[in-house]
PDB file of all heavy atoms in Angstrom:
ATOM      1  N   ILE A1151    -167.715-113.162-129.389  1.00  0.00           N
ATOM      2  CA  ILE A1151    -168.564-113.152-130.467  1.00  0.00           C
ATOM      3  C   ILE A1151    -169.946-113.695-130.130  1.00  0.00           C
ATOM      4  O   ILE A1151    -170.077-114.808-129.628  1.00  0.00           O
ATOM      5  CB  ILE A1151    -167.991-114.109-131.651  1.00  0.00           C
ATOM      6  CG1 ILE A1151    -166.600-113.556-132.008  1.00  0.00           C
ATOM      7  CG2 ILE A1151    -168.940-114.146-132.899  1.00  0.00           C
ATOM      8  CD1 ILE A1151    -165.809-114.516-132.885  1.00  0.00           C
ATOM      9  N   PRO A1152    -171.056-112.950-130.391  1.00  0.00           N
ATOM     10  CA  PRO A1152    -172.412-113.611-130.111  1.00  0.00           C
ATOM     11  C   PRO A1152    -172.866-114.535-131.291  1.00  0.00           C
ATOM     12  O   PRO A1152    -172.572-114.133-132.313  1.00  0.00           O
ATOM     13  CB  PRO A1152    -173.289-112.333-130.008  1.00  0.00           C
ATOM     14  CG  PRO A1152    -172.594-111.292-130.892  1.00  0.00           C
ATOM     15  CD  PRO A1152    -171.103-111.659-130.816  1.00  0.00           C
ATOM     16  N   LEU A1153    -173.509-115.502-130.877  1.00  0.00           N
ATOM     17  CA  LEU A1153    -174.075-116.475-131.916  1.00  0.00           C
ATOM     18  C   LEU A1153    -175.620-116.465-131.631  1.00  0.00           C
ATOM     19  O   LEU A1153    -176.062-116.414-130.599  1.00  0.00           O
ATOM     20  CB  LEU A1153    -173.563-117.961-131.718  1.00  0.00           C
ATOM     21  CG  LEU A1153    -172.108-118.232-132.202  1.00  0.00           C
ATOM     22  CD1 LEU A1153    -171.893-119.688-132.113  1.00  0.00           C
ATOM     23  CD2 LEU A1153    -171.846-117.729-133.487  1.00  0.00           C
ATOM     24  N   GLU A1154    -176.366-116.571-132.860  1.00  0.00           N
ATOM     25  CA  GLU A1154    -177.732-116.618-132.735  1.00  0.00           C
ATOM     26  C   GLU A1154    -178.295-117.745-133.598  1.00  0.00           C
ATOM     27  O   GLU A1154    -178.756-117.542-134.781  1.00  0.00           O
ATOM     28  CB  GLU A1154    -178.300-115.286-133.212  1.00  0.00           C
ATOM     29  CG  GLU A1154    -177.975-114.170-132.264  1.00  0.00           C
ATOM     30  CD  GLU A1154    -178.654-112.914-132.709  1.00  0.00           C
ATOM     31  OE1 GLU A1154    -179.316-112.788-133.737  1.00  0.00           O
ATOM     32  OE2 GLU A1154    -178.431-111.878-132.007  1.00  0.00           O
ATOM     33  N   PRO A1155    -178.123-118.951-133.217  1.00  0.00           N
ATOM     34  CA  PRO A1155    -178.622-120.108-133.966  1.00  0.00           C
ATOM     35  C   PRO A1155    -179.994-120.186-134.200  1.00  0.00           C
ATOM     36  O   PRO A1155    -180.819-119.535-133.486  1.00  0.00           O
ATOM     37  CB  PRO A1155    -178.139-121.248-133.083  1.00  0.00           C
ATOM     38  CG  PRO A1155    -178.185-120.798-131.778  1.00  0.00           C
ATOM     39  CD  PRO A1155    -177.767-119.302-131.801  1.00  0.00           C
ATOM     40  N   GLU A1156    -180.471-120.766-135.310  1.00  0.00           N
ATOM     41  CA  GLU A1156    -181.861-120.803-135.678  1.00  0.00           C
ATOM     42  C   GLU A1156    -182.627-121.818-134.810  1.00  0.00           C
ATOM     43  O   GLU A1156    -183.826-121.803-134.627  1.00  0.00           O
ATOM     44  CB  GLU A1156    -182.084-121.164-137.147  1.00  0.00           C
ATOM     45  CG  GLU A1156    -181.674-120.106-138.133  1.00  0.00           C
ATOM     46  CD  GLU A1156    -182.564-118.788-137.907  1.00  0.00           C
ATOM     47  OE1 GLU A1156    -183.728-119.021-137.860  1.00  0.00           O
ATOM     48  OE2 GLU A1156    -181.879-117.754-137.751  1.00  0.00           O
ATOM     49  N   THR A1157    -181.914-122.847-134.334  1.00  0.00           N
ATOM     50  CA  THR A1157    -182.453-123.956-133.580  1.00  0.00           C
ATOM     51  C   THR A1157    -181.611-124.133-132.309  1.00  0.00           C
ATOM     52  O   THR A1157    -180.432-124.240-132.430  1.00  0.00           O
ATOM     53  CB  THR A1157    -182.612-125.182-134.393  1.00  0.00           C
ATOM     54  OG1 THR A1157    -183.342-124.990-135.494  1.00  0.00           O
ATOM     55  CG2 THR A1157    -183.171-126.305-133.582  1.00  0.00           C
ATOM     56  N   VAL A1158    -182.269-124.484-131.172  1.00  0.00           N
ATOM     57  CA  VAL A1158    -181.526-124.919-130.067  1.00  0.00           C
ATOM     58  C   VAL A1158    -182.237-126.145-129.404  1.00  0.00           C
ATOM     59  O   VAL A1158    -183.476-126.272-129.558  1.00  0.00           O
ATOM     60  CB  VAL A1158    -181.519-123.808-128.913  1.00  0.00           C
ATOM     61  CG1 VAL A1158    -180.670-122.589-129.405  1.00  0.00           C
ATOM     62  CG2 VAL A1158    -182.849-123.424-128.458  1.00  0.00           C
ATOM     63  N   PHE A1159    -181.498-127.050-128.797  1.00  0.00           N
ATOM     64  CA  PHE A1159    -182.018-128.204-128.083  1.00  0.00           C
ATOM     65  C   PHE A1159    -181.690-127.871-126.584  1.00  0.00           C
ATOM     66  O   PHE A1159    -180.438-128.021-126.262  1.00  0.00           O
ATOM     67  CB  PHE A1159    -181.576-129.542-128.562  1.00  0.00           C
ATOM     68  CG  PHE A1159    -182.320-130.631-127.792  1.00  0.00           C
ATOM     69  CD1 PHE A1159    -183.473-131.099-128.157  1.00  0.00           C
ATOM     70  CD2 PHE A1159    -181.662-131.250-126.707  1.00  0.00           C
ATOM     71  CE1 PHE A1159    -184.083-132.170-127.578  1.00  0.00           C
ATOM     72  CE2 PHE A1159    -182.245-132.311-126.157  1.00  0.00           C
ATOM     73  CZ  PHE A1159    -183.528-132.738-126.416  1.00  0.00           C
ATOM     74  N   ILE A1160    -182.718-127.649-125.745  1.00  0.00           N
ATOM     75  CA  ILE A1160    -182.449-127.353-124.364  1.00  0.00           C
ATOM     76  C   ILE A1160    -182.752-128.569-123.349  1.00  0.00           C
ATOM     77  O   ILE A1160    -183.878-128.958-123.253  1.00  0.00           O
ATOM     78  CB  ILE A1160    -183.419-126.169-123.969  1.00  0.00           C
ATOM     79  CG1 ILE A1160    -183.131-124.931-124.922  1.00  0.00           C
ATOM     80  CG2 ILE A1160    -183.146-125.866-122.511  1.00  0.00           C
ATOM     81  CD1 ILE A1160    -183.920-123.791-124.625  1.00  0.00           C
ATOM     82  N   PRO A1161    -181.698-129.097-122.749  1.00  0.00           N
ATOM     83  CA  PRO A1161    -181.883-130.256-121.882  1.00  0.00           C
ATOM     84  C   PRO A1161    -182.786-129.929-120.691  1.00  0.00           C
ATOM     85  O   PRO A1161    -182.540-128.743-120.153  1.00  0.00           O
ATOM     86  CB  PRO A1161    -180.459-130.641-121.523  1.00  0.00           C
ATOM     87  CG  PRO A1161    -179.570-130.097-122.667  1.00  0.00           C
ATOM     88  CD  PRO A1161    -180.322-128.899-122.986  1.00  0.00           C
ATOM     89  N   PHE A1162    -183.408-130.987-120.233  1.00  0.00           N
ATOM     90  CA  PHE A1162    -184.257-130.577-118.930  1.00  0.00           C
ATOM     91  C   PHE A1162    -183.342-130.921-117.685  1.00  0.00           C
ATOM     92  O   PHE A1162    -183.820-130.530-116.600  1.00  0.00           O
ATOM     93  CB  PHE A1162    -185.471-131.567-118.918  1.00  0.00           C
ATOM     94  CG  PHE A1162    -186.467-131.228-119.974  1.00  0.00           C
ATOM     95  CD1 PHE A1162    -187.276-132.131-120.447  1.00  0.00           C
ATOM     96  CD2 PHE A1162    -186.701-129.865-120.431  1.00  0.00           C
ATOM     97  CE1 PHE A1162    -188.192-131.893-121.543  1.00  0.00           C
ATOM     98  CE2 PHE A1162    -187.624-129.501-121.306  1.00  0.00           C
ATOM     99  CZ  PHE A1162    -188.428-130.555-121.974  1.00  0.00           C
ATOM    100  N   GLN A1163    -182.203-131.441-117.852  1.00  0.00           N
ATOM    101  CA  GLN A1163    -181.290-131.762-116.729  1.00  0.00           C
ATOM    102  C   GLN A1163    -179.963-131.116-117.074  1.00  0.00           C
ATOM    103  O   GLN A1163    -179.118-131.726-117.724  1.00  0.00           O
ATOM    104  CB  GLN A1163    -181.224-133.234-116.363  1.00  0.00           C
ATOM    105  CG  GLN A1163    -180.380-133.381-115.061  1.00  0.00           C
ATOM    106  CD  GLN A1163    -180.587-134.796-114.437  1.00  0.00           C
ATOM    107  OE1 GLN A1163    -181.091-135.707-115.137  1.00  0.00           O
ATOM    108  NE2 GLN A1163    -180.226-134.974-113.248  1.00  0.00           N
ATOM    109  N   GLN A1164    -179.726-129.912-116.529  1.00  0.00           N
ATOM    110  CA  GLN A1164    -178.435-129.262-116.704  1.00  0.00           C
ATOM    111  C   GLN A1164    -177.870-128.990-115.304  1.00  0.00           C
ATOM    112  O   GLN A1164    -176.967-128.169-115.087  1.00  0.00           O
ATOM    113  CB  GLN A1164    -178.569-127.942-117.474  1.00  0.00           C
ATOM    114  CG  GLN A1164    -179.318-128.028-118.804  1.00  0.00           C
ATOM    115  CD  GLN A1164    -179.465-126.658-119.447  1.00  0.00           C
ATOM    116  OE1 GLN A1164    -178.720-125.799-119.457  1.00  0.00           O
ATOM    117  NE2 GLN A1164    -180.655-126.574-120.034  1.00  0.00           N
ATOM    118  N   HIS A1165    -178.161-129.789-114.317  1.00  0.00           N
ATOM    119  CA  HIS A1165    -177.778-129.607-112.925  1.00  0.00           C
ATOM    120  C   HIS A1165    -177.849-130.893-112.223  1.00  0.00           C
ATOM    121  O   HIS A1165    -178.342-131.939-112.721  1.00  0.00           O
ATOM    122  CB  HIS A1165    -178.966-128.696-112.388  1.00  0.00           C
ATOM    123  CG  HIS A1165    -180.324-129.182-112.706  1.00  0.00           C
ATOM    124  ND1 HIS A1165    -181.127-128.631-113.786  1.00  0.00           N
ATOM    125  CD2 HIS A1165    -181.160-130.113-112.091  1.00  0.00           C
ATOM    126  CE1 HIS A1165    -182.161-129.309-113.823  1.00  0.00           C
ATOM    127  NE2 HIS A1165    -182.304-130.193-112.793  1.00  0.00           N
ATOM    128  N   ILE A1166    -177.247-130.930-111.061  1.00  0.00           N
ATOM    129  CA  ILE A1166    -177.273-132.036-110.130  1.00  0.00           C
ATOM    130  C   ILE A1166    -178.739-132.182-109.580  1.00  0.00           C
ATOM    131  O   ILE A1166    -179.290-131.149-109.241  1.00  0.00           O
ATOM    132  CB  ILE A1166    -176.264-131.820-109.007  1.00  0.00           C
ATOM    133  CG1 ILE A1166    -174.879-131.859-109.496  1.00  0.00           C
ATOM    134  CG2 ILE A1166    -176.442-132.892-107.852  1.00  0.00           C
ATOM    135  CD1 ILE A1166    -173.813-131.529-108.411  1.00  0.00           C
ATOM    136  N   GLY A1167    -179.198-133.317-109.557  1.00  0.00           N
ATOM    137  CA  GLY A1167    -180.492-133.611-108.994  1.00  0.00           C
ATOM    138  C   GLY A1167    -181.478-134.104-110.190  1.00  0.00           C
ATOM    139  O   GLY A1167    -181.135-134.755-111.140  1.00  0.00           O
ATOM    140  N   LYS A1168    -182.735-133.863-109.926  1.00  0.00           N
ATOM    141  CA  LYS A1168    -183.731-134.312-110.725  1.00  0.00           C
ATOM    142  C   LYS A1168    -184.003-133.465-111.946  1.00  0.00           C
ATOM    143  O   LYS A1168    -183.855-132.287-111.949  1.00  0.00           O
ATOM    144  CB  LYS A1168    -185.156-134.525-110.105  1.00  0.00           C
ATOM    145  CG  LYS A1168    -185.142-135.568-108.894  1.00  0.00           C
ATOM    146  CD  LYS A1168    -186.550-135.818-108.413  1.00  0.00           C
ATOM    147  CE  LYS A1168    -186.508-136.979-107.398  1.00  0.00           C
ATOM    148  NZ  LYS A1168    -187.788-137.125-106.925  1.00  0.00           N
TER     149      LYS A1168
END
Side-chain angles (χ1 to χ4, degrees):
I1151 302 168
L1153 287 188
E1154 296 183 358
E1156 289 299 310
T1157 300
V1158 296
F1159 183 83
I1160 304 179
F1162 293 146
Q1163 186 162 16
Q1164 305 177 40
H1165 48 267
I1166 291 173
K1168 295 186 175 182

